[in-house]
Amino acid sequence: MRWEVFRQAKRGDYHKHCGDVHAPDREMATLFAQIQHGRRMTTESLWVVPSEEVTEIDADDTAFGGRTDKAYRWATAYNVDASFAQEVADSEEEQAEVEQSRGDD
Amino acid sequence: MAPLRALADLDDEERAAAESLLFRLADDEFVIAERYTEWQVVAPTLESDLALSNIAQDELGHARVWFDALGELGYSERDLVWERDPGAFRHSTLVELPFAEGDWADPILRGYLYDVAEDLRLDAVAGSDVRELVDPVEKIRSEEEYHLEHAQNWLERLCDDDAGRERVQSAADRLVPHALTLWVPGPAASAIDSSGLRGESLDATRRQWLDTVASFLESLGLTVPLDPGDDPTESLPDSVGSDGNHTDHWPRLHDELTETYRELGRSDVRRLRGEGT
Amino acid sequence: MDIETVKARAGPREFGRADDMPEEYREAATRMLQFHANSEIMGAYLEKPFIRQSPSVDRKLAFSAKVQDEIGHGQLLYRAAEALGVKTREEMLDELARGDGKFLNCFHYEMTDWAETPMIAFFVDGAAMKRQATLKQSSWTPYAHAMDKICFEEGFHVKHGEDIMRELATGSRKEQRLLQEAFDEWWPRILQFFGPTDDRSTHHDFAADVGLKTMTNDELRNQFLNAYVPKARKYGLEIPDEPRIRTDEDGEYYEVVEADLDWDEFFAIAKNEYPEGLDQIDGRATAREAVAWVRDSLTEADAGGPGATASAGGD
């Protein structure tokens, strides 16, 4: 049986997928995972999940976020200056990066 | 394949036909979106709320796509929405009916009936030779696939027990006649076909729609209140919408949605990113 | 973990679900998150009618997207609250419906006119965003993680609100007048957003001691006024003479004259006893009850969810 492993490098971080282990049950999966994925990389925590419980939906299956114009969802569409408040400017900047990487037209 | 023509290059008769086609496409999307938004904040769960809100935005976005095509024929958003007489809207009565509070079976079944129809309509206009009709289809369809799957999945779930199935059946008895109005030909029907604006006639599309809808709903243990052989005109409700005759619900809805525009005495609308900055 | 250890270790994103947190911490964090999540839901409830009342297609799309985002924020925050193990999401949503769940003062008032929308969508959201940005440093990691996503989205909300305000402020005289009237009505409520004035030098509450929050209400109110008063003036809004707000000699520290604000109303609201707020709580409760049958059908179906397929497949 295969188990997917997610590692959190330090407190407060997100758990990120880092690989898998083959093991017959949950206990052995955690034993194997801490060696295979936690013996060298800085590790605060691991999540170990049966692979068949992970459901995938990918960009071939669906159009994430849609494909018609959704500019109204983005801070960048509004013609007002965000620089008066750092947190608004930060949000706009983060959105601009994502919007660019999505490559919407 | 022959190159696509632009709407602006059509002759007068073809333009009138294209207008007629576009008004129905746009108005159906616009009004169903308006109704869907009524479920925002009051859907059964937070997740289902997010999903239906998204569908509403998709449909409103599709309305905007077709409004933009009408823009090529000289119409502004003001003409199309804010200052148009409610009697000049061409949508089907299916999309204008209000929801009863808590009747989640209604938006789900209505969405299903509408999404199957929209899918077939998109096929039909994709078979035309007019750029503004063909170009948006692929993007719109990518969103419609989700809508259809969403509706089917919910219907299967709701029909899983007797109480839920009864609610869906009651929605079907009420809504299917109104859904048939999507296929009522308007005065421009033959001009639309002869101008090559759709690859498939309205009548053929209706038959496909009924086949699809009936076989799916019957597979869920529901009864569809008409047979494929029946004359659909006999099952139509009193008003069909697309000829400008609507139920009383429509003028009320139109009045509500144009209220701010009128109260503020606006005479135009601003588009996002539309200010030349 | 005992409370002294928590206080000693308290820092940004220090604690998570794997930590054995003391009850006092879990309850304080639940209270804070539940209040925050409830506020997202009731804010969405207040703004929803303006999806219909938007005067352009783009505004309608934006309002729908914004209300959708807020429900999404509620979803994230209830999850961060649930992770504390005190209450389930359903319990919190039921408490909100019963009138036991608390939420922000500004969402207890009615909003009926378009010209009022920037009061929530710009000023209140702007104030909320000030607070939320600091909560990225919360010691409860699920809270901080929810804030990452919420702050990412909120920039759209505040800019959308400002854009509506700009359109009104540069519109007809009537629009300008309606905007000023809305501002006069909402300004005192907005000033109360951050609650009564703290004693800046000595006041430390429990949530600050354990790192759940990192800034006092006074600091946040002051930052907010520093950024948003000039914005209001930029759009030609006159700041009402009362409630009085004074600045110090450098013009950097704002003091709100507390006696000019209606604290009886504020505390009635805090107890869910304000009539308009009660109407909104009850309106939402009725709508929630009406779809209880759908939630029941989902719960029954849970048996066929994850786990049901676990015996199939695998290797």
Side-chain angles (χ1 to χ4, degrees), chain B residues 108-128:
Chain B
I108 295 300
L109 182 75
R110 193 186 300 202
Y112 174 71
L113 298 173
Y114 181 76
D115 291 333
V116 174
E118 192 180 353
D119 194 39
L120 292 165
R121 273 179 166 180
L122 289 172
D123 279 344
V125 296
S128 84

Side-chain angles (χ1 to χ4, degrees), chain B residues 30 34-35 37-51 53-58 60-61 64 67 77 81-82 101-105 154 157-158 160-161 163-164 167 253 256-266 268-273 275, chain C residues 41 44-45 48 50-69 71-75 78 89-90 93 112-115 163-164 166-168 170-172 174-175 178 283-284 286-288 290-291 293-295 297-298 300-302:
Chain B
F30 180 72
E34 187 66 43
R35 282 299 184 200
T37 64
E38 290 176 14
W39 284 97
Q40 291 197 246
V41 194
V42 297
T45 63
L46 300 176
E47 285 80 3
S48 56
D49 202 303
L50 294 166
S53 306
N54 216 69
I55 292 172
Q57 288 158 38
D58 284 347
L60 185 51
R64 195 174 52 172
F67 284 150
E77 188 180 315
V81 179
W82 307 103
E101 188 167 49
D103 190 6
W104 183 246
W154 265 110
R157 177 152 316 287
L158 293 178
D160 223 19
D161 66 58
R167 287 179 185 265
L253 177 59
E256 283 175 30
L257 74 91
T258 54
E259 186 188 335
T260 301
Y261 182 90
R262 286 180 284 109
E263 292 271 304
L264 295 180
R266 292 258 166 104
D268 205 356
V269 292
R270 294 193 201 179
R271 289 283 294 261
L272 284 177
R273 292 173 167 169
E275 300 173 280
Chain C
I41 304 298
Y45 189 86
K48 172 191 168 170
F50 296 93
I51 305 170
R52 172 143 305 160
Q53 290 176 41
S54 288
S56 82
V57 172
D58 280 352
R59 289 272 187 255
K60 191 182 287 290
L61 284 161
F63 249 109
S64 173
K66 191 197 166 192
V67 169
Q68 177 191 33
D69 281 353
I71 296 299
H73 297 172
Q75 198 267 6
Y78 283 124
R89 178 168 104 177
E90 284 312 292
L93 286 165
T112 53
D113 296 326
W114 179 255
D163 200 43
I164 294 172
R166 181 180 62 119
E167 192 175 18
L168 290 163
T170 58
S172 66
K174 180 182 180 185
E175 290 183 36
L178 291 173
R284 182 193 156 274
T286 308
R288 175 170 168 76
V291 282
W293 68 274
V294 187
R295 284 191 298 279
S297 79
L298 296 177
E300 284 159 26
D302 263 356

